[in-house]
Amino acid sequence: MCLRRKYGRGAVLPSKYALELLTIYAWEMGTESSDSFNLDEGFVAVMELLVNYRDICIYWTKYYNFQNEVVRNFLKKQLKGDRPIILDPADPTNNLGRRKGWEQVAAEAAFCLLQVCCTTVGPSERWNVQRARDVQVRVKQTGTVDWTLWTNPYSPIRKMKAEIRREKNFGGELRISFQEPGGERQLLSSRKTLADYGIFSKVNIQVLETFPPEILVFVKYPGGQSKPFTIDPDDTILDL
């Protein structure tokens, strides 16, 4: 109501339902769905999400998931869209973040965070609410057993590489790549995040360890899938 009075009845603003879902998400992530929580801390968590609305990408998998191929492909397409993305828990076709007016809400949220009621919440008391849920990453390497890790889409890929290096005791240069069905295999840059590649759900990555002067090549198979290989620049095609 406060925003309606300030910007007028005709102003296009995010729906109440979208803000309610955002609040539920903050509560789930910040308290692990606990019934006992500090209201001030929860308010600050929601305001911080609103300030960073351009990075919000949240969804629920209680009433739909990625097991069905048709639903999975649709969800992945939805999650690659412009953010904020807030998918209706009961209807993945309904992206509640699509409406305009988030800029105004973010400005008001930033103002709220400067008020006394918010500044009394110290850093150690703040809820750990990410702008997107952690995703499962299945690490594949030819000749080894698959390994699974969890990471946040907004965490730098270099951190994921460091975790893989520790787990696998790699000493060479790590090259990691992924390929969506029907797409081209892409090399993941250490300077970027999974979010930069539109990855907000379970993904398989291929890991390859190289040593100078080896180079990385992708070999495409008839079915459209490609695999990475390391070769020496002086190797012949027959060697590959």
Side-chain angles (χ1 to χ4, degrees):
M1 292 298 293
C2 177
L3 290 179
R4 289 293 178 193
R5 287 196 297 267
K6 182 173 182 178
Y7 294 104
R9 289 184 175 274
V12 179
L13 297 170
S15 68
K16 288 176 60 178
Y17 185 33
L19 299 178
E20 288 169 358
L21 288 177
L22 200 62
T23 303
I24 291 172
Y25 170 77
W27 167 69
E28 290 176 342
M29 296 294 102
T31 72
E32 297 183 350
S33 302
S34 172
D35 291 333
S36 177
F37 60 91
N38 183 288
L39 187 59
D40 290 347
E41 295 172 7
F43 181 77
V44 169
V46 174
M47 293 301 104
E48 289 177 337
L49 280 175
L50 290 172
V51 168
N52 296 292
Y53 73 93
R54 290 185 179 87
D55 292 334
I56 292 174
C57 183
I58 57 177
Y59 58 93
W60 288 262
T61 55
K62 183 176 181 179
Y63 298 108
Y64 54 83
N65 53 47
F66 293 86
Q67 294 180 2
N68 179 277
E69 183 180 359
V70 175
V71 176
R72 178 173 64 249
N73 291 338
F74 177 80
L75 283 173
K76 285 181 176 289
K77 183 178 179 181
Q78 281 279 73
L79 298 177
K80 287 180 180 292
D82 294 334
R83 295 182 283 277
I85 295 172
I86 305 174
L87 297 188
D88 190 324
D91 179 9
T93 66
N94 184 19
N95 176 15
L96 295 153
R98 191 178 293 124
R99 289 187 62 173
K100 297 181 180 180
W102 288 96
E103 298 89 346
Q104 292 93 320
V105 174
E108 296 299 324
F111 176 77
C112 286
L113 289 173
L114 297 176
Q115 307 311 303
V116 175
C117 61
C118 293
T119 56
T120 55
V121 178
S124 62
E125 301 171 306
R126 301 202 173 199
W127 292 0
N128 181 26
V129 181
Q130 303 284 352
R131 294 156 290 172
R133 298 180 188 275
D134 288 352
V135 298
Q136 185 184 59
V137 179
R138 179 174 293 174
V139 182
K140 293 177 171 288
Q141 184 188 21
T142 303
T144 66
V145 178
D146 292 352
W147 176 61
T148 299
L149 62 85
W150 290 83
T151 188
N152 192 267
Y154 289 106
S155 176
I157 289 174
R158 67 175 182 274
K159 290 187 176 181
M160 182 171 65
K161 278 189 173 183
E163 187 174 350
I164 295 172
R165 187 183 299 279
R166 287 193 300 269
E167 176 68 21
K168 298 291 187 178
N169 293 318
F170 285 134
E173 179 70 21
L174 289 192
R175 310 285 185 176
I176 59 177
S177 61
F178 84 105
Q179 182 177 19
E180 295 283 9
E184 297 292 329
R185 181 164 292 278
Q186 298 182 61
L187 196 63
L188 297 177
S189 170
S190 298
R191 298 180 180 180
K192 294 186 176 182
T193 67
L194 293 181
D196 291 326
Y197 297 91
I199 300 174
F200 289 93
S201 60
K202 181 179 178 181
V203 65
N204 295 330
I205 64 170
Q206 192 78 31
V207 176
L208 209 60
E209 185 181 22
T210 64
F211 296 89
E214 292 177 329
I215 60 174
L216 177 69
V217 297
F218 293 142
V219 177
K220 180 177 285 189
Y221 289 80
Q225 284 291 105
S226 63
K227 288 186 64 175
F229 292 90
T230 57
I231 63 171
D232 188 282
D234 294 327
D235 284 346
T236 65
I237 297 298
L238 183 60
D239 293 326
L240 177 61

